[in-house]
Amino acid sequence: MNAHIGVIRVLTSDDASTVAAHGRVIEERYGIPAVSRCIPGQPHGIHDDESERRAEPKIVALARELAADGAGTLVISCAADPALERTREAVDVPVIGAGSAAAAVALGLGSRVGVLGIRDEAPPAVRAVLGERFAGEARARGVHRTTDLQAPEGPAAVLEAAARLVEAGADTLLLACTGLNTIGIRPLLEDRLGVPVVDPVLAAGLMASYTRS
Amino acid sequence: MNAHIGVIRVLTSDDASTVAAHGRVIEERYGIPAVSRCIPGQPHGIHDDESERRAEPKIVALARELAADGAGTLVISCAADPALERTREAVDVPVIGAGSAAAAVALGLGSRVGVLGIRDEAPPAVRAVLGERFAGEARARGVHRTTDLQAPEGPAAVLEAAARLVEAGADTLLLACTGLNTIGIRPLLEDRLGVPVVDPVLAAGLMASYTRS
């Protein structure tokens, strides 16, 4: 297949480069052309049940649009996998959720997966895939929304939370917010903590690369 | 990382090209150098509980040897994930089981995963990862050991079993024997059945490619 992938961003932005950020990471890493668009009206993305519910119909609508415009695979770039099942029913191309993709990669790499996110509880979609290999969750202190990660103290808070998970026995970490890709924290965590760190955007790209051969 | 991966074959063979087959697939597809070796004394591989038990200590021993020789990641190239936990405990590098890697990739791609293998029951390691998304299992008629797949009637029997799974509602197929990679059946199945087909050797290679960046 030579079709591009369609990347659905759940963080609303007017800035084309911000919207394209995750698609660009996938293009660079896996050589798959990506077209990225964002849902409207959610400048802080998905950060609680209400914002998730509100996003769902918008995600399905955007998926139909991207598929109609020729995307051969779709990625919902949010670790909560919002509207994943509904979107799979709505379109005829494979739909990859960044959360379950990350959980899937983590299962392939380790046995006790620590989940690092922006909510107190790991996304249910991630926990469902991890099953018994879920080894705990942690939230970076002071971080409640994806946009908080970009504050100056964001990376240190993430490292501290990640270290807590590894001390508690995690042999693999899963970044349960695609905003953790945006701040490029994975190499720092792997370097400091010595465990594989699964980034949801890269995991989604990895799965997308599998569908194209 | 620039280290090679070590591929553990559970099918004993004197033929270097046979032993290297799965490693070669990973090298070609993912550009990762591979060193392949096989366990001794199992010319029909792993095909029942007894042959699996017998293989386990041999796999751990071979893993230690490959790691000592510089492998940066190990792949156990068998969909039953034999000795996966013991091997992870025995060495300091990531160990990927072809079965859980395939299950992981399947979870990233679909919601109802049909498992196609050489035993009546899907490997427990695969079922454990698939959880509620396991959608049934099928064995190709007349096939009981990986070596049976190479008979002239092998591919047709596999296609028939795969079609049964799709008719029963599977939206994704998982090949639960690395011998199904050896016979190169994936493109035929995808072409005829129109669903993504996850090959355990490619899935293991995909996971290995994630650990190298």
Side-chain angles (χ1 to χ4, degrees):
Chain A
M1 288 198 296
N2 290 308
H4 59 273
I5 62 165
V7 177
I8 297 171
R9 296 296 309 273
V10 302
L11 180 70
T12 307
S13 171
D14 287 337
D15 179 56
S17 163
T18 299
V19 172
H22 298 169
R24 214 163 43 227
V25 165
I26 295 174
E27 283 182 342
E28 283 167 13
R29 173 93 176 240
Y30 300 106
I32 312 172
V35 169
S36 302
R37 290 189 203 152
C38 65
I39 62 171
Q42 303 211 199
H44 294 294
I46 290 178
H47 51 90
D48 59 16
D49 291 348
E50 185 277 326
S51 54
E52 184 168 342
R53 243 185 338 264
R54 201 148 42 87
E56 288 177 350
K58 303 176 194 176
I59 291 168
V60 175
L62 184 49
R64 287 190 205 272
E65 206 181 282
L66 286 161
D69 290 353
T73 304
L74 296 177
V75 167
I76 300 175
S77 193
C78 173
D81 281 2
L84 179 59
E85 290 308 314
R86 287 168 62 183
T87 305
R88 283 184 172 158
E89 285 161 22
V91 297
D92 279 334
V93 298
V95 182
I96 295 163
S100 45
V105 172
L107 284 179
L109 298 178
S111 300
R112 295 180 303 283
V113 182
V115 177
L116 190 64
I118 59 169
R119 292 166 73 170
D120 286 331
E121 293 184 357
V126 167
R127 285 205 60 158
V129 173
L130 293 179
E132 292 179 359
R133 304 204 194 168
F134 171 74
E137 56 215 341
R139 179 173 61 76
R141 291 198 177 106
V143 171
H144 296 276
R145 301 186 300 200
T146 185
T147 40
D148 296 335
L149 292 166
Q150 291 168 37
E153 59 277 21
V158 172
L159 176 58
E160 185 275 333
R164 268 187 274 144
L165 287 168
V166 173
E167 278 158 31
D171 66 5
T172 305
L173 293 179
L174 184 158
L175 305 183
C177 174
T178 53
L180 289 160
N181 173 276
T182 311
I183 66 167
I185 193 96
R186 179 185 170 224
L188 173 74
L189 297 180
E190 290 194 334
D191 186 52
R192 296 290 184 86
L193 302 172
V195 298
V197 175
V198 180
D199 175 301
V201 174
L202 293 179
L206 193 74
M207 294 293 166
S209 76
Y210 189 83
T211 65
R212 292 169 50 85
S213 59
Chain B
M1 288 200 293
N2 290 308
H4 61 272
I5 62 167
V7 177
I8 297 172
R9 294 297 308 273
V10 302
L11 179 70
T12 307
S13 171
D14 288 337
D15 180 55
S17 163
T18 300
V19 172
H22 297 169
R24 215 163 42 228
V25 165
I26 294 173
E27 283 183 342
E28 283 167 14
R29 174 95 175 238
Y30 300 106
I32 311 173
V35 169
S36 301
R37 290 188 203 152
C38 64
I39 62 171
Q42 303 211 199
H44 294 293
I46 291 178
H47 51 91
D48 58 15
D49 290 348
E50 185 278 325
S51 54
E52 184 167 343
R53 242 185 338 263
R54 201 150 40 87
E56 287 176 350
K58 303 178 195 174
I59 290 168
V60 175
L62 185 49
R64 287 188 204 273
E65 206 181 282
L66 285 161
D69 290 353
T73 303
L74 296 177
V75 167
I76 301 175
S77 194
C78 173
D81 281 2
L84 178 59
E85 291 306 314
R86 286 168 62 184
T87 306
R88 283 183 172 160
E89 284 161 21
V91 297
D92 279 334
V93 298
V95 182
I96 295 163
S100 46
V105 172
L107 284 179
L109 298 179
S111 300
R112 295 180 303 281
V113 181
V115 177
L116 190 63
I118 59 170
R119 292 166 73 169
D120 286 330
E121 293 184 356
V126 167
R127 283 205 62 159
V129 173
L130 292 180
E132 293 180 358
R133 303 205 194 169
F134 172 73
E137 56 217 339
R139 179 173 61 75
R141 291 197 177 106
V143 171
H144 296 277
R145 301 187 299 200
T146 186
T147 39
D148 296 333
L149 291 167
Q150 290 168 37
E153 59 279 20
V158 172
L159 177 58
E160 185 274 333
R164 268 187 275 144
L165 287 168
V166 173
E167 277 158 30
D171 66 5
T172 305
L173 294 178
L174 184 158
L175 305 183
C177 175
T178 53
L180 289 161
N181 174 277
T182 311
I183 65 167
I185 193 98
R186 179 185 172 224
L188 174 73
L189 297 180
E190 290 196 332
D191 186 52
R192 296 289 184 86
L193 301 172
V195 299
V197 175
V198 181
D199 175 300
V201 175
L202 294 179
L206 192 72
M207 294 293 167
S209 75
Y210 189 83
T211 65
R212 293 170 48 84
S213 61

